[in-house]
């Protein structure tokens, strides 16, 4: 047995694993490296925007994104844009939206309202109600994040959110990417704004340009967007505490090293800080994957090659375990955003793995399918957050609210218990709210309501 540093979470955590593992490749860096810088930048920007409002947002849009055009996209611009989108592009986006919407609607149906009698005369229940305003962000940086547009908006729509505000920045110096704009609108956004980065998150949170502050803000973004959401959490709800995209792959001797390597590269393409991890019981398979990685990265176009090359060099890991039980333990510690399983006996892994953002069982599926078109949402927890949370779902836009009602006769038992417990806690005013009802509903009766608080 040995102790190893959980390098994917080197934000000052050292985790002890009681398993025998061997690093065939270990990460040199952690995605936490630039967090402090992002925090400083975001704190300054949010304070400026909160003080100066839309003027500050326009200034940041101009300085950071070189955008001085209108913030809110008009219906006429949306319609004109749609006419220019090729038919096949529309068909593909429409198909993906339908998949995401169908899955989100099934999630919504899994939540039910109910009422139940807890005690004679005491009825309590649950309502499931959508938030009023949702802010949905899609990044506009290295790539045109079309899928991010419908992942947020279509899911909020399925939840029944009344007002959906969508934001994405100018694409490579021009207006919003036309296909992304089409996706926002087709998925059901009510307001679409050409804004990116911290200024977009702040505008949705504070209700700038729309007069409708968001109750919940969702969507992926760079470290500044992630930090803005983290800082604003509490003022607004958010989907997940997000970091660079991650992939973990569990593979055994039955896995195809060509497919495994392809999938690792496919996610490393996201950015320079995107971890790619391979957990395996097969040394020969692991070595075959590592041998293939450089050539696959080299064949990518320049933007993707630069990102994937840096990600694999600095954040890639290959961990060899003695048994599949040990793989489960290691994988659960890493809590990968995306977790693929390329093994025999897939149901065995499904029954035992507990920490992941989304699970992809078998060679036939891949993270890219989930990212774009299969149905489950692609906004998922990173940096170990899958240990305690899931990804974006229709539930993020819903509130489960409780209610209760009781008869006067029921107030006898509930009131007596409340009065006595309140006095044990030292909360006399609480107790007297029960006393007053007992005196009103049962005049002349004597009750043991506990010893009155005197201190």
């Amino acid at each position: 047995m040995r102790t190893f540093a959980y390098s994917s979470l080197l934000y000052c955590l050292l985790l002890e694993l009681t398993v025998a593992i061997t690093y065939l490749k270990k990460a040199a860096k952690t995605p936490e490296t630039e967090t402090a810088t992002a925090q400083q930048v975001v704190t300054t920007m949010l304070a400026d925007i909160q003080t100066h409002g839309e003027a500050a947002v326009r200034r940041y849009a101009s300085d950071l994104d070189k955008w001085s055009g209108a913030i809110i996209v008009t219906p006429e611009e949306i319609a004109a844009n749609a006419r220019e989108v090729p038919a096949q592009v529309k068909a593909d986006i429409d198909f993906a939206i339908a998949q995401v919407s169908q899955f989100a609607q099934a999630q919504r149906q899994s939540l039910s309202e109910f009422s139940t009698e807890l005690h004679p005369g005491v009825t309590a229940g649950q309502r499931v109600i959508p938030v009023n305003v949702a802010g949905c962000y899609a990044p506009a940086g290295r790539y045109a994040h079309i899928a991010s547009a419908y992942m947020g908006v279509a899911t909020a729509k399925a939840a029944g959110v009344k007002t959906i505000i969508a934001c994405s920045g100018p694409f490579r110096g021009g207006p919003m990417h036309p296909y992304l704009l089409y996706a926002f609108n087709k998925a059901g956004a009510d307001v679409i704004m050409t804004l990116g980065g911290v200024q977009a998150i702040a505008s949705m949170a504070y209700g700038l340009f729309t007069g409708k502050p968001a109750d919940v803000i969702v969507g992926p973004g760079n470290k500044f967007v992630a930090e803005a959401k983290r800082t604003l959490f509490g003022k607004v709800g958010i989907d997940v505490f997000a970091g660079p995209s991650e992939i973990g792959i569990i593979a055994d001797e039955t896995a195809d090293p060509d497919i495994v390597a392809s999938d690792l590269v496919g996610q490393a393409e996201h950015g320079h800080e995107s971890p790619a991890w391979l957990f395996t019981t097969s040394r020969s398979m692991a070595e075959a994957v590592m041998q293939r990685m450089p050539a696959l990265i080299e064949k990518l176009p320049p933007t993707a090659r630069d990102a994937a090359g840096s990600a694999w060099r600095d954040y890639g890991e290959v961990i060899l375990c003695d048994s599949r039980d040990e793989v489960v333990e290691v994988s659960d510690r890493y809590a990968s955003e995306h977790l693929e399983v390329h093994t025999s006996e897939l149901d065995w892994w499904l029954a035992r793995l507990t920490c992941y953002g989304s699970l992809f069982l078998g060679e036939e599926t891949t993270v890219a399918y989930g990212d774009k078109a299969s149905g489950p949402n692609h906004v998922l927890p990173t940096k170990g957050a899958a240990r305690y949370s899931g990804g974006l779902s229709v539930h993020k836009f819903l509130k489960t609210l409780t209610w209760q009602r009781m008869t006067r006769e029921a107030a006898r038992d509930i009131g007596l218990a409340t009065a006595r417990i309140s006095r044990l806690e030292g909360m006399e005013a609480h107790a007297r709210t029960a006393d007053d009802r007992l005196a009103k509903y049962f005049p002349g009766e004597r009750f043991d309501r506990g010893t009155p608080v005197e201190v």
Side-chain angles (χ1 to χ4, degrees), residues 174-210:
M176 186 184 301
H177 194 285
Y179 303 163
L180 196 152
L181 176 58
Y182 174 83
F184 269 151
N185 181 63
K186 186 69 175 182
D190 298 292
V191 180
I192 302 173
M193 299 197 292
T194 306
L195 276 178
V198 176
Q199 60 269 28
I201 304 303
S203 293
M204 290 189 286
Y206 300 141
L208 302 180
F209 304 101
T210 65

Side-chain angles (χ1 to χ4, degrees), residues 237-255:
I238 63 172
D239 43 8
V240 292
F241 291 111
S245 187
E246 307 162 350
I247 183 173
I249 297 182
I250 294 172
D252 64 12
E253 68 282 354
T254 69

Side-chain angles (χ1 to χ4, degrees), residues 108-182:
R108 175 65 183 86
Q109 292 165 8
S110 72
L111 278 176
S112 61
E113 299 191 353
F114 66 86
S115 64
T116 183
E117 188 173 61
L118 300 172
H119 183 80
V122 180
T123 304
Q126 170 178 286
R127 293 193 66 201
V128 181
I129 301 174
V131 300
N132 290 311
V133 182
C136 298
Y137 183 76
R142 186 178 293 109
Y143 307 109
H145 291 272
I146 299 166
S148 294
Y150 52 76
M151 288 287 174
V153 174
T155 306
K157 198 74 174 178
V161 176
K162 295 177 183 176
T163 303
I164 302 172
I165 300 168
C167 279
S168 188
F171 185 68
R172 298 181 181 176
M176 186 184 301
H177 194 285
Y179 303 163
L180 196 152
L181 176 58
Y182 174 83

Side-chain angles (χ1 to χ4, degrees), residues 6 17 40 67 85 120 125 132 170 173 190 220 248 351 356 369 381 418 446 455:
Y6 179 29
L17 289 184
Q40 293 174 359
W67 179 254
V85 176
N132 290 311
D190 298 292
Y356 49 81
Y369 291 175
T418 297
R446 297 176 61 85
V455 181

Side-chain angles (χ1 to χ4, degrees), residues 12 30 45 124 136 139 332 376 407 434:
C12 304
T30 165
M45 290 180 67
C136 298
D332 278 353
T407 63

Side-chain angles (χ1 to χ4, degrees), residues 313-333:
R313 181 189 67 232
D314 296 335
Y315 298 94
E317 291 188 343
V318 179
I319 296 177
L320 181 64
C321 298
D322 288 344
S323 70
R324 62 183 185 177
D325 288 303
E326 291 174 351
V327 171
V328 168
E329 187 172 350
V330 173
S331 176
D332 278 353
R333 292 283 186 168

